[in-house]
mmCIF file of all heavy atoms in Angstrom:
data_model
loop_
_atom_site.group_PDB
_atom_site.id
_atom_site.type_symbol
_atom_site.label_atom_id
_atom_site.label_comp_id
_atom_site.label_asym_id
_atom_site.label_seq_id
_atom_site.Cartn_x
_atom_site.Cartn_y
_atom_site.Cartn_z
ATOM 1 N N PHE A 1 3.144 -25.869 -17.318
ATOM 2 C CA PHE A 1 1.716 -25.970 -17.133
ATOM 3 C C PHE A 1 1.316 -25.331 -15.833
ATOM 4 O O PHE A 1 0.306 -24.625 -15.762
ATOM 5 C CB PHE A 1 1.252 -27.418 -17.192
ATOM 6 C CG PHE A 1 -0.205 -27.565 -16.923
ATOM 7 C CD1 PHE A 1 -1.150 -27.206 -17.901
ATOM 8 C CD2 PHE A 1 -0.674 -28.034 -15.698
ATOM 9 C CE1 PHE A 1 -2.509 -27.336 -17.657
ATOM 10 C CE2 PHE A 1 -2.021 -28.156 -15.460
ATOM 11 C CZ PHE A 1 -2.972 -27.795 -16.432
ATOM 12 N N LEU A 2 2.090 -25.557 -14.809
ATOM 13 C CA LEU A 2 1.818 -24.959 -13.480
ATOM 14 C C LEU A 2 1.940 -23.430 -13.550
ATOM 15 O O LEU A 2 1.081 -22.726 -13.023
ATOM 16 C CB LEU A 2 2.771 -25.520 -12.418
ATOM 17 C CG LEU A 2 2.540 -25.093 -10.990
ATOM 18 C CD1 LEU A 2 1.131 -25.382 -10.539
ATOM 19 C CD2 LEU A 2 3.546 -25.745 -10.041
ATOM 20 N N LYS A 3 2.954 -22.952 -14.226
ATOM 21 C CA LYS A 3 3.133 -21.488 -14.377
ATOM 22 C C LYS A 3 1.961 -20.898 -15.162
ATOM 23 O O LYS A 3 1.439 -19.855 -14.783
ATOM 24 C CB LYS A 3 4.456 -21.184 -15.117
ATOM 25 C CG LYS A 3 5.677 -21.378 -14.242
ATOM 26 C CD LYS A 3 6.918 -21.017 -15.036
ATOM 27 C CE LYS A 3 8.164 -21.390 -14.209
ATOM 28 N NZ LYS A 3 9.394 -21.095 -15.001
ATOM 29 N N LEU A 4 1.562 -21.570 -16.211
ATOM 30 C CA LEU A 4 0.465 -21.104 -17.033
ATOM 31 C C LEU A 4 -0.820 -21.072 -16.178
ATOM 32 O O LEU A 4 -1.633 -20.117 -16.230
ATOM 33 C CB LEU A 4 0.265 -21.930 -18.286
ATOM 34 C CG LEU A 4 -0.912 -21.573 -19.175
ATOM 35 C CD1 LEU A 4 -0.742 -20.151 -19.741
ATOM 36 C CD2 LEU A 4 -1.037 -22.569 -20.285
ATOM 37 N N SER A 5 -1.048 -22.057 -15.418
ATOM 38 C CA SER A 5 -2.254 -22.176 -14.561
ATOM 39 C C SER A 5 -2.262 -21.009 -13.563
ATOM 40 O O SER A 5 -3.281 -20.392 -13.261
ATOM 41 C CB SER A 5 -2.266 -23.472 -13.808
ATOM 42 O OG SER A 5 -2.437 -24.579 -14.691
ATOM 43 N N CYS A 6 -1.078 -20.715 -12.990
ATOM 44 C CA CYS A 6 -0.976 -19.611 -12.048
ATOM 45 C C CYS A 6 -1.296 -18.271 -12.722
ATOM 46 O O CYS A 6 -1.998 -17.418 -12.165
ATOM 47 C CB CYS A 6 0.391 -19.551 -11.382
ATOM 48 S SG CYS A 6 0.661 -20.883 -10.207
ATOM 49 N N VAL A 7 -0.781 -18.067 -13.931
ATOM 50 C CA VAL A 7 -1.015 -16.843 -14.666
ATOM 51 C C VAL A 7 -2.518 -16.697 -14.945
ATOM 52 O O VAL A 7 -3.108 -15.631 -14.775
ATOM 53 C CB VAL A 7 -0.201 -16.800 -15.968
ATOM 54 C CG1 VAL A 7 -0.621 -15.652 -16.875
ATOM 55 C CG2 VAL A 7 1.271 -16.658 -15.629
ATOM 56 N N VAL A 8 -3.137 -17.765 -15.425
ATOM 57 C CA VAL A 8 -4.567 -17.740 -15.699
ATOM 58 C C VAL A 8 -5.395 -17.416 -14.457
ATOM 59 O O VAL A 8 -6.285 -16.601 -14.447
ATOM 60 C CB VAL A 8 -5.033 -19.063 -16.334
ATOM 61 C CG1 VAL A 8 -6.548 -19.154 -16.397
ATOM 62 C CG2 VAL A 8 -4.405 -19.250 -17.710
ATOM 63 N N LEU A 9 -5.031 -18.028 -13.320
ATOM 64 C CA LEU A 9 -5.672 -17.801 -12.076
ATOM 65 C C LEU A 9 -5.544 -16.339 -11.631
ATOM 66 O O LEU A 9 -6.556 -15.702 -11.203
ATOM 67 C CB LEU A 9 -5.133 -18.732 -10.937
ATOM 68 C CG LEU A 9 -5.755 -18.579 -9.562
ATOM 69 C CD1 LEU A 9 -7.265 -18.893 -9.633
ATOM 70 C CD2 LEU A 9 -5.054 -19.516 -8.587
ATOM 71 N N VAL A 10 -4.351 -15.763 -11.738
ATOM 72 C CA VAL A 10 -4.142 -14.379 -11.354
ATOM 73 C C VAL A 10 -4.968 -13.464 -12.244
ATOM 74 O O VAL A 10 -5.622 -12.542 -11.759
ATOM 75 C CB VAL A 10 -2.648 -13.993 -11.436
ATOM 76 C CG1 VAL A 10 -2.430 -12.501 -11.337
ATOM 77 C CG2 VAL A 10 -1.875 -14.732 -10.346
ATOM 78 N N CYS A 11 -5.019 -13.737 -13.526
ATOM 79 C CA CYS A 11 -5.823 -12.955 -14.448
ATOM 80 C C CYS A 11 -7.322 -13.003 -14.097
ATOM 81 O O CYS A 11 -7.979 -11.968 -14.131
ATOM 82 C CB CYS A 11 -5.638 -13.396 -15.892
ATOM 83 S SG CYS A 11 -4.004 -12.965 -16.576
ATOM 84 N N MET A 12 -7.765 -14.177 -13.731
ATOM 85 C CA MET A 12 -9.161 -14.325 -13.341
ATOM 86 C C MET A 12 -9.479 -13.550 -12.098
ATOM 87 O O MET A 12 -10.540 -12.900 -12.009
ATOM 88 C CB MET A 12 -9.519 -15.822 -13.174
ATOM 89 C CG MET A 12 -9.578 -16.603 -14.450
ATOM 90 S SD MET A 12 -9.727 -18.400 -14.219
ATOM 91 C CE MET A 12 -11.261 -18.497 -13.355
ATOM 92 N N VAL A 13 -8.585 -13.544 -11.144
ATOM 93 C CA VAL A 13 -8.789 -12.820 -9.879
ATOM 94 C C VAL A 13 -8.829 -11.314 -10.166
ATOM 95 O O VAL A 13 -9.677 -10.590 -9.675
ATOM 96 C CB VAL A 13 -7.710 -13.178 -8.867
ATOM 97 C CG1 VAL A 13 -7.745 -12.227 -7.672
ATOM 98 C CG2 VAL A 13 -7.861 -14.589 -8.399
ATOM 99 N N VAL A 14 -7.887 -10.813 -11.013
ATOM 100 C CA VAL A 14 -7.842 -9.411 -11.338
ATOM 101 C C VAL A 14 -9.112 -8.972 -12.071
ATOM 102 O O VAL A 14 -9.730 -7.977 -11.736
ATOM 103 C CB VAL A 14 -6.565 -9.073 -12.149
ATOM 104 C CG1 VAL A 14 -6.617 -7.639 -12.701
ATOM 105 C CG2 VAL A 14 -5.327 -9.211 -11.232
ATOM 106 N N VAL A 15 -9.499 -9.696 -13.072
ATOM 107 C CA VAL A 15 -10.680 -9.376 -13.849
ATOM 108 C C VAL A 15 -11.925 -9.460 -12.952
ATOM 109 O O VAL A 15 -12.786 -8.634 -12.999
ATOM 110 C CB VAL A 15 -10.800 -10.279 -15.112
ATOM 111 C CG1 VAL A 15 -12.153 -10.112 -15.772
ATOM 112 C CG2 VAL A 15 -9.710 -9.915 -16.095
ATOM 113 N N GLY A 16 -12.020 -10.495 -12.181
ATOM 114 C CA GLY A 16 -13.166 -10.695 -11.289
ATOM 115 C C GLY A 16 -13.264 -9.554 -10.259
ATOM 116 O O GLY A 16 -14.341 -9.110 -9.982
ATOM 117 N N ALA A 17 -12.137 -9.127 -9.739
ATOM 118 C CA ALA A 17 -12.148 -8.037 -8.757
ATOM 119 C C ALA A 17 -12.606 -6.771 -9.422
ATOM 120 O O ALA A 17 -13.361 -5.983 -8.858
ATOM 121 C CB ALA A 17 -10.769 -7.892 -8.178
ATOM 122 N N HIS A 18 -12.175 -6.536 -10.671
ATOM 123 C CA HIS A 18 -12.575 -5.298 -11.370
ATOM 124 C C HIS A 18 -14.056 -5.292 -11.681
ATOM 125 O O HIS A 18 -14.743 -4.289 -11.436
ATOM 126 C CB HIS A 18 -11.751 -5.128 -12.656
ATOM 127 C CG HIS A 18 -12.179 -3.920 -13.418
ATOM 128 N ND1 HIS A 18 -11.964 -2.661 -12.975
ATOM 129 C CD2 HIS A 18 -12.839 -3.785 -14.593
ATOM 130 C CE1 HIS A 18 -12.445 -1.792 -13.819
ATOM 131 N NE2 HIS A 18 -12.958 -2.447 -14.849
ATOM 132 N N THR A 19 -14.585 -6.384 -12.165
ATOM 133 C CA THR A 19 -15.986 -6.423 -12.534
ATOM 134 C C THR A 19 -16.875 -6.395 -11.319
ATOM 135 O O THR A 19 -18.014 -5.899 -11.365
ATOM 136 C CB THR A 19 -16.353 -7.669 -13.393
ATOM 137 O OG1 THR A 19 -15.962 -8.821 -12.700
ATOM 138 C CG2 THR A 19 -15.633 -7.596 -14.726
ATOM 139 N N ALA A 20 -16.390 -6.904 -10.196
ATOM 140 C CA ALA A 20 -17.191 -6.859 -8.959
ATOM 141 C C ALA A 20 -17.449 -5.442 -8.505
ATOM 142 O O ALA A 20 -18.413 -5.166 -7.830
ATOM 143 C CB ALA A 20 -16.540 -7.657 -7.891
ATOM 144 N N GLU A 21 -16.579 -4.497 -8.858
ATOM 145 C CA GLU A 21 -16.712 -3.118 -8.408
ATOM 146 C C GLU A 21 -17.545 -2.290 -9.368
ATOM 147 O O GLU A 21 -17.847 -1.122 -9.145
ATOM 148 C CB GLU A 21 -15.333 -2.479 -8.263
ATOM 149 C CG GLU A 21 -14.562 -3.104 -7.155
ATOM 150 C CD GLU A 21 -13.189 -2.477 -7.015
ATOM 151 O OE1 GLU A 21 -12.997 -1.315 -7.447
ATOM 152 O OE2 GLU A 21 -12.292 -3.135 -6.487
ATOM 153 N N ALA A 22 -17.948 -2.855 -10.528
ATOM 154 C CA ALA A 22 -18.707 -2.074 -11.514
ATOM 155 C C ALA A 22 -20.033 -1.668 -10.916
ATOM 156 O O ALA A 22 -20.653 -2.412 -10.170
ATOM 157 C CB ALA A 22 -18.919 -2.927 -12.780
ATOM 158 N N ILE A 23 -20.483 -0.500 -11.273
ATOM 159 C CA ILE A 23 -21.726 0.047 -10.761
ATOM 160 C C ILE A 23 -22.870 -0.477 -11.647
ATOM 161 O O ILE A 23 -22.671 -0.768 -12.821
ATOM 162 C CB ILE A 23 -21.694 1.622 -10.746
ATOM 163 C CG1 ILE A 23 -22.894 2.146 -9.968
ATOM 164 C CG2 ILE A 23 -21.632 2.169 -12.147
ATOM 165 C CD1 ILE A 23 -22.696 3.588 -9.585
ATOM 166 N N THR A 24 -24.034 -0.625 -11.059
ATOM 167 C CA THR A 24 -25.223 -1.131 -11.794
ATOM 168 C C THR A 24 -26.308 -0.059 -11.776
ATOM 169 O O THR A 24 -26.324 0.839 -10.954
ATOM 170 C CB THR A 24 -25.755 -2.411 -11.168
ATOM 171 O OG1 THR A 24 -26.301 -2.091 -9.870
ATOM 172 C CG2 THR A 24 -24.695 -3.459 -11.059
ATOM 173 N N CYS A 25 -27.263 -0.202 -12.663
ATOM 174 C CA CYS A 25 -28.408 0.751 -12.687
ATOM 175 C C CYS A 25 -29.191 0.622 -11.423
ATOM 176 O O CYS A 25 -29.710 1.624 -10.920
ATOM 177 C CB CYS A 25 -29.293 0.478 -13.894
ATOM 178 S SG CYS A 25 -28.649 1.207 -15.454
ATOM 179 N N GLY A 26 -29.262 -0.560 -10.863
ATOM 180 C CA GLY A 26 -29.972 -0.729 -9.586
ATOM 181 C C GLY A 26 -29.318 0.088 -8.458
ATOM 182 O O GLY A 26 -30.015 0.702 -7.612
ATOM 183 N N GLN A 27 -27.973 0.137 -8.446
ATOM 184 C CA GLN A 27 -27.266 0.944 -7.465
ATOM 185 C C GLN A 27 -27.512 2.437 -7.680
ATOM 186 O O GLN A 27 -27.695 3.166 -6.732
ATOM 187 C CB GLN A 27 -25.771 0.627 -7.494
ATOM 188 C CG GLN A 27 -25.415 -0.721 -6.992
ATOM 189 C CD GLN A 27 -23.963 -1.050 -7.306
ATOM 190 O OE1 GLN A 27 -23.487 -0.848 -8.430
ATOM 191 N NE2 GLN A 27 -23.265 -1.604 -6.336
ATOM 192 N N VAL A 28 -27.521 2.845 -8.951
ATOM 193 C CA VAL A 28 -27.781 4.245 -9.294
ATOM 194 C C VAL A 28 -29.171 4.614 -8.785
ATOM 195 O O VAL A 28 -29.383 5.646 -8.166
ATOM 196 C CB VAL A 28 -27.597 4.484 -10.819
ATOM 197 C CG1 VAL A 28 -28.080 5.851 -11.203
ATOM 198 C CG2 VAL A 28 -26.156 4.284 -11.218
ATOM 199 N N GLN A 29 -30.129 3.789 -9.101
ATOM 200 C CA GLN A 29 -31.524 4.050 -8.742
ATOM 201 C C GLN A 29 -31.709 4.134 -7.229
ATOM 202 O O GLN A 29 -32.346 5.054 -6.717
ATOM 203 C CB GLN A 29 -32.494 3.027 -9.321
ATOM 204 C CG GLN A 29 -32.591 3.143 -10.830
ATOM 205 C CD GLN A 29 -33.347 1.938 -11.416
ATOM 206 O OE1 GLN A 29 -33.645 0.970 -10.771
ATOM 207 N NE2 GLN A 29 -33.640 2.071 -12.719
#
C-alpha cells in the first residue's frame, strides 16, 4: 500500500508539473 501510494504521488507530481507549464490563451494574448 505504501509503495502504491508513493507511485500515485509521483504520478500526480509529474502530471501536475506538466499541466502547470501548459500555455493559455490569456498568455498568448
Side-chain angles (χ1 to χ4, degrees):
F1 176 74
L2 184 56
K3 286 180 187 178
L4 178 62
S5 296
C6 287
V7 169
V8 169
L9 180 62
V10 168
C11 288
M12 289 172 59
V13 169
V14 169
V15 169
H18 177 67
T19 57
E21 293 179 24
I23 193 165
T24 67
C25 281
Q27 290 169 315
V28 171
Q29 290 170 352

